[in-house]
Amino acid sequence: MCGIVGAVDRRDVTSLLTEGLRRLEYRGYDSCGIAVLQQGALRRVRSVARVANLAAEVAAANLSGMIGIAHTRWATHGAPVAKNAHPIFSSGEIAIVHNGIIENHESLREELQAHGYVFESDTDTEVVAHLIHRMWTEQAAQGAKDLLCAVRHALERLHGAYAIAVFARNDPGRVIGARAGSPLVVGLGEQGNYLASDVMALAGAVENFIYLEEGDIAELTLDGVRLVDRSGHAVQRDIKVHRASTHSVELGPYRHYMHKEIFEQPNVIADAIERVDTISADLFGQGARHAFREIDSVLIVACGTSYYAGMTAKYWLESLAKVATQVEVASEYRYRSSVANPNTLVVVVSQSGETADTLAALKHAQTQGHRHTLTVCNVASSTMMRQAEFQHLTSAGPEIGVASTKAFTTQLVALFLLALTLSKQRGRLPAAQEATFLDQLHRLPGKLNSVLALEAQIIAWAETFARTDHALFLGRGLHYPIALEGALKLKEISYVHAEAYPAGELKHGPLALVTSQMPVVAVAPNDALLDKLKSNLQEVRARSGQLYVFADADSRIASGDGLHVIRMPEHYGSLSPILHVVPLQLLAYHTACARGTDVDKPRNLAKSVTVE
Ligand code: AGP
């Protein structure tokens, strides 16, 4: 989603800003821009093309300056056209970039228009620019100009979420940053000080960071950084060292990050379980041992792929630990009037740890009276990790492709460990069973490699899927969420319309869609529901549907007329979903490649959805 970079430096900042935007591209955007203070004037370049084009335009326009701000925009208010791209200016005096949504922008717009401000964009951000300008000129009239103070008073008028970076034409040595609801970090360097919405933007440039807290406002100059809270009182925040591995954001021999990330799964899962030699609540942080004993149920809240990880975990938690589990989409839960049980463990699952709906759901659960909360997340420094009582880092490493792959399988590993932990605490995990599960976990990377070896067969299927406009995915039980995830992957990167159903539901409606033109993908592990699934597949064949089945080696399903089978390894028990999702990731990936879509940055989508 939107990205921010800002800088005060002893050198020209344009290349640092454009490189920062390049590093934020993975979040998804539809326009970008950069503004600097050059020879006493605000200058900017904005583009609806890629950051690479913006960099070329910046060079062509001879843009340079020692302070500046830059932005990648994912449109919310106002179409993705140049006039709505950030930085947004007010009266040639104030420049601002903004992530988030200002909910009361309409009333503020009317108020500012009444004061003579003329709006040039359709964005909610422009009201913030004009508000700051208004405060700034009011201060000037009283002979007391303080940009931080002007920003702080403007922010008092806003309802909604924001991370902003601001500078003023008349205040050449200062950039102001502020956050409420959207992340923002300060990078501390030897040549200057910087702002970014994500540490990744400053990877390689600085290693010392301050993670701003809710309501914090930062003033960056060459001499240092001053922090105040929303009331203007000075605050201190810890400096954290973050040595970003530039290696992990390089593509290497792969064409796309998604492909690279699919193939990283054996290694990242091996890393995630390397030190797990016994099942213990300590895997979830200090104090979890005691708190987990108190809980009598689990509520998992998440969005998108992370929600499907939660759905899979429900099966594990209820079958292995016998702990009643509910799973809810975060954007629904946060606005639903629910009955809080203080003995419920609320688990939020998120790759980024910044998804606005999931973060709001976590806060909502806490205000509703849920005492125990756990974040399962891939970003150690994220807001969700800081907000919850307990934490578990999934250790997948940076995931750049918008379509989540390795984050999903590592979430599944983490949630499986949670189910085993609760099971052990409740005396339901005999030592021999624990040893068997641990052994299966440690052999999982090898099994994943054998699934990845099926790629050539999947590429052949992808040729067919690239020519279709619709597909159905079927699964049962523990593999129904995997069918949902397969359909989501296909939709989001190849734009093929795909729906997933529990196979037993087919006859209650979706069977009407089945014709000889409809590919139907079935996830067919050799589990207790296999015979039921086979009957469901017969229902499809009887209507001439084309079946594409991922069948365990021991599931006795053979290819035949209209029945295409790719043979998976032998059934892998409770961990089978982690194997079965991988061919679906590859099918979506190769279908998207065959259709020539922008695999890593699919249209309309963002990596981290930091607005509602
Ligand atoms: C997955 O492929 C999607 N891009 C999306 O559904 C994602 O899982 C969702 O937005 C949640 O993100 P999070 O895990 O960072 O919270």
Side-chain angles (χ1 to χ4, degrees):
M1 198 140 273
C2 305
I4 287 177
V5 196
V8 184
D9 207 306
R10 293 191 168 80
R11 307 153 296 183
D12 173 31
V13 294
T14 48
S15 54
L16 180 132
L17 294 177
T18 48
E19 174 59 15
L21 292 187
R22 193 186 69 76
R23 289 178 175 278
L24 292 176
E25 278 193 295
Y26 78 99
R27 295 165 68 110
Y29 67 104
D30 37 43
S31 59
C32 49
I34 171 171
V36 293
L37 184 60
Q38 188 167 12
Q39 292 166 348
L42 303 187
R43 291 199 63 210
R44 71 182 161 191
V45 174
R46 299 183 290 176
S47 168
V48 287
R50 301 272 106 188
V51 170
N53 297 60
L54 180 80
E57 285 180 46
V58 165
N62 286 323
L63 215 65
S64 74
M66 318 271 239
I67 73 170
I69 55 179
H71 195 251
T72 47
R73 174 173 188 256
W74 188 82
T76 54
H77 291 77
V81 294
K83 71 167 183 175
N84 292 332
H86 300 201
I88 299 282
F89 288 174
S90 175
S91 314
E93 294 289 334
I94 299 289
I96 182 171
V97 292
H98 163 227
N99 290 355
I101 292 177
I102 305 305
E103 286 163 4
N104 58 336
H105 70 101
E106 281 172 352
S107 56
L108 289 172
R109 181 179 274 251
E110 281 168 20
E111 177 188 317
L112 287 157
Q113 281 167 332
H115 282 97
Y117 284 97
V118 176
F119 282 75
E120 292 171 357
S121 77
D122 308 316
T123 65
D124 51 344
T125 304
E126 194 170 352
V127 300
V128 192
H130 294 323
L131 263 183
I132 293 172
H133 179 259
R134 186 136 189 266
M135 303 292 171
W136 181 238
T137 45
E138 275 176 16
Q139 282 183 350
Q142 291 161 10
K145 275 172 112 177
D146 178 345
L147 185 59
L148 183 147
C149 192
V151 170
R152 189 168 70 76
H153 287 308
L155 296 180
E156 282 170 356
R157 303 287 318 279
L158 306 182
H159 301 161
Y162 56 78
I164 57 168
V166 180
F167 69 90
R169 187 183 69 79
N170 261 332
D171 197 354
R174 219 172 301 277
V175 172
I176 307 293
R179 77 157 280 185
S182 295
L184 195 66
V185 297
V186 174
L188 307 167
E190 284 175 9
Q191 297 294 325
N193 293 307
Y194 313 96
L195 284 170
S197 48
D198 181 331
V199 288
M200 188 112 62
L202 300 174
V206 290
E207 291 187 340
N208 291 328
F209 290 93
I210 296 171
Y211 293 88
L212 295 185
E213 294 188 7
E214 284 298 277
D216 281 357
I217 307 175
E219 177 188 70
L220 280 64
T221 60
L222 280 179
D223 299 329
V225 174
R226 176 162 75 105
L227 298 180
V228 300
D229 63 16
R230 47 167 59 99
S231 322
H233 299 122
V235 287
Q236 298 282 334
R237 305 289 177 223
D238 293 343
I239 297 174
K240 309 258 188 226
V241 178
H242 181 94
R243 287 191 185 93
S245 152
T246 45
H247 174 72
S248 54
V249 294
E250 300 305 334
L251 257 180
Y254 294 93
R255 241 178 90 200
H256 297 105
Y257 283 105
M258 182 183 179
H259 200 208
K260 176 183 180 235
E261 287 156 5
I262 290 171
F263 274 82
E264 280 176 347
Q265 291 178 108
N267 285 344
V268 296
I269 287 182
D271 289 349
I273 55 177
E274 194 187 3
R275 283 180 299 279
V276 182
D277 48 16
T278 182
I279 296 300
S280 149
D282 297 345
L283 293 167
F284 301 91
Q286 257 188 352
R289 191 182 292 255
H290 177 69
F292 285 9
R293 276 214 183 88
E294 285 185 356
I295 62 133
D296 61 16
S297 52
V298 171
L299 168 63
I300 302 176
V301 188
C303 302
T305 289
S306 299
Y307 171 71
Y308 298 145
M311 281 180 74
T312 313
K314 176 183 166 77
Y315 288 85
W316 288 328
L317 285 158
E318 296 205 330
S319 64
L320 300 172
K322 304 282 179 229
V323 175
T325 302
Q326 264 182 283
V327 191
E328 279 206 52
V329 167
S331 54
E332 289 295 311
Y333 171 72
R334 61 182 288 194
Y335 290 116
R336 194 169 69 76
S337 151
S338 53
V339 181
N341 168 3
N343 293 328
T344 296
L345 174 67
V346 177
V347 182
V348 292
V349 185
S350 173
Q351 188 287 127
S352 60
E354 302 294 350
T355 302
D357 285 321
T358 312
L359 181 58
L362 171 59
K363 291 178 179 168
H364 176 70
Q366 288 167 326
T367 56
Q368 292 280 297
H370 283 291
R371 286 185 299 152
H372 297 309
T373 53
L374 163 69
T375 291
V376 172
C377 180
N378 196 34
V379 181
S381 56
S382 64
T383 314
M384 267 180 240
M385 286 295 247
R386 295 199 298 273
Q387 181 76 26
E389 181 185 19
F390 303 112
Q391 298 76 25
H392 183 94
L393 186 67
T394 48
S395 305
E399 190 180 67
I400 309 289
V402 163
S404 192
T405 52
K406 61 176 182 169
F408 178 67
T409 44
T410 50
Q411 285 168 351
L412 290 179
V413 168
L415 293 166
F416 187 68
L417 291 172
L418 178 66
L420 294 186
T421 302
L422 297 188
S423 174
K424 188 172 176 180
Q425 279 192 329
R426 281 149 187 76
R428 298 184 189 281
L429 187 67
Q433 180 73 68
E434 177 180 348
T436 305
F437 280 136
L438 284 172
D439 178 56
Q440 284 184 339
L441 274 170
H442 287 287
R443 285 190 295 115
L444 190 56
K447 293 281 168 193
L448 284 164
N449 277 322
S450 15
V451 177
L452 290 168
L454 301 171
E455 186 176 32
Q457 294 175 59
I458 296 168
I459 292 173
W461 282 12
E463 294 298 322
T464 305
F465 281 77
R467 291 192 299 270
T468 187
D469 289 326
H470 306 277
L472 272 180
F473 284 67
L474 303 177
R476 290 198 76 138
L478 193 52
H479 295 79
Y480 166 49
I482 298 306
L484 284 164
E485 172 61 3
L488 176 63
K489 287 285 94 89
L490 191 67
K491 275 186 272 218
E492 70 177 331
I493 58 166
S494 74
Y495 317 147
V496 171
H497 169 230
E499 299 285 343
Y501 283 91
E505 270 291 291
L506 202 58
K507 56 189 174 293
H508 298 290
L511 199 54
L513 296 171
V514 172
T515 66
S516 59
Q517 306 304 309
M518 172 68 93
V520 180
V521 178
V523 183
N526 183 18
D527 63 9
L529 290 168
L530 180 64
D531 287 337
K532 306 272 178 212
L533 179 78
K534 282 180 177 173
S535 307
N536 303 139
L537 300 188
Q538 287 305 324
E539 293 161 9
V540 174
R541 272 311 295 140
R543 274 93 191 162
S544 309
Q546 293 291 312
L547 280 165
Y548 294 84
V549 184
F550 291 98
D552 283 352
D554 45 358
S555 66
R556 300 176 318 281
I557 301 179
S559 297
D561 183 29
L563 174 59
H564 314 270
V565 178
I566 287 182
R567 208 155 286 289
M568 299 276 292
E570 290 199 343
H571 185 53
Y572 209 54
S574 300
L575 291 171
S576 170
I578 302 179
L579 295 188
H580 267 280
V581 75
V582 173
L584 303 186
Q585 296 168 345
L586 284 170
L587 181 63
Y589 173 73
H590 287 292
T591 303
C593 288
R595 287 168 74 98
T597 61
D598 192 349
V599 173
D600 284 331
K601 299 182 208 82
R603 68 184 179 206
N604 306 338
L605 298 182
K607 180 65 184 163
S608 176
V609 185
T610 51
V611 294
E612 253 195 279

